[in-house]
Amino acid sequence: MKNFLEIPQDKIIEQNECFFIIKDTFPVSPGHLLIISNKMRSDFFSLTNEEKSLLSKSIDRAKELIELDFKPDGYNIGMNCGESAGQTVFHFHCHVIPRYIGDMENPRGGVRHSINGKGYY
């Protein structure tokens, strides 16, 4: 998939003027959602100021949607910007990943684990 504009409408949970929200096809935890830009933007840094402003509201809304069905103990919110950062679909998307006590042996460091061996300090 080169972009997320091919996603069928029935997979969209919610949509506003800048983003839509779907369940991640390969969830890393129960409730994992994606926030995707309505327009083709390659990553966070290519969003307009209006889109960046609305993104925080969309993250809050994604959290509310997750909590309708799940009771997470925390969250990771993540964006991969560029191939070297692990991005594979070059259409802006933000992961909202619910976290649960015990879902990882030692979660200390969170997103710092994106580089092997660098997460702990």
Side-chain angles (χ1 to χ4, degrees):
M1 179 180 293
K2 293 181 179 178
N3 66 65
F4 291 115
L5 298 178
E6 302 164 4
I7 293 173
Q9 285 292 314
D10 65 344
K11 299 289 185 191
I12 296 174
I13 298 171
E14 191 159 306
Q15 189 164 20
N16 61 34
E17 59 268 36
C18 295
F19 301 100
F20 59 95
I21 299 173
I22 65 167
K23 294 180 181 178
D24 193 291
T25 305
F26 306 101
V28 299
S29 72
H32 180 175
L33 296 180
L34 291 180
I35 300 168
I36 302 167
S37 59
N38 290 337
K39 294 184 178 176
M40 273 302 301
R41 309 281 191 225
S42 61
D43 62 28
F44 174 80
F45 299 107
S46 63
L47 294 176
T48 66
N49 288 337
E50 178 189 5
E51 289 166 333
K52 287 177 181 175
S53 176
L54 191 56
L55 179 59
S56 63
K57 291 180 182 177
S58 297
I59 291 170
D60 286 340
R61 182 61 184 142
K63 179 180 181 283
E64 290 172 359
L65 291 168
I66 290 167
E67 292 176 358
L68 291 175
D69 297 317
F70 302 96
K71 300 293 180 212
D73 300 298
Y75 287 88
N76 289 115
I77 300 167
M79 298 170 252
N80 302 323
C81 301
E83 189 173 352
S84 64
Q87 187 174 9
T88 57
V89 178
F90 293 87
H91 180 172
F92 171 79
H93 57 287
C94 173
H95 296 264
V96 181
I97 302 171
R99 297 299 304 271
Y100 302 91
I101 292 173
D103 66 0
M104 186 173 167
E105 186 175 326
N106 182 3
R108 183 180 171 159
V111 297
R112 292 178 51 89
H113 292 286
S114 59
I115 296 181
N116 194 23
K118 300 285 187 178
Y120 298 107
Y121 52 92

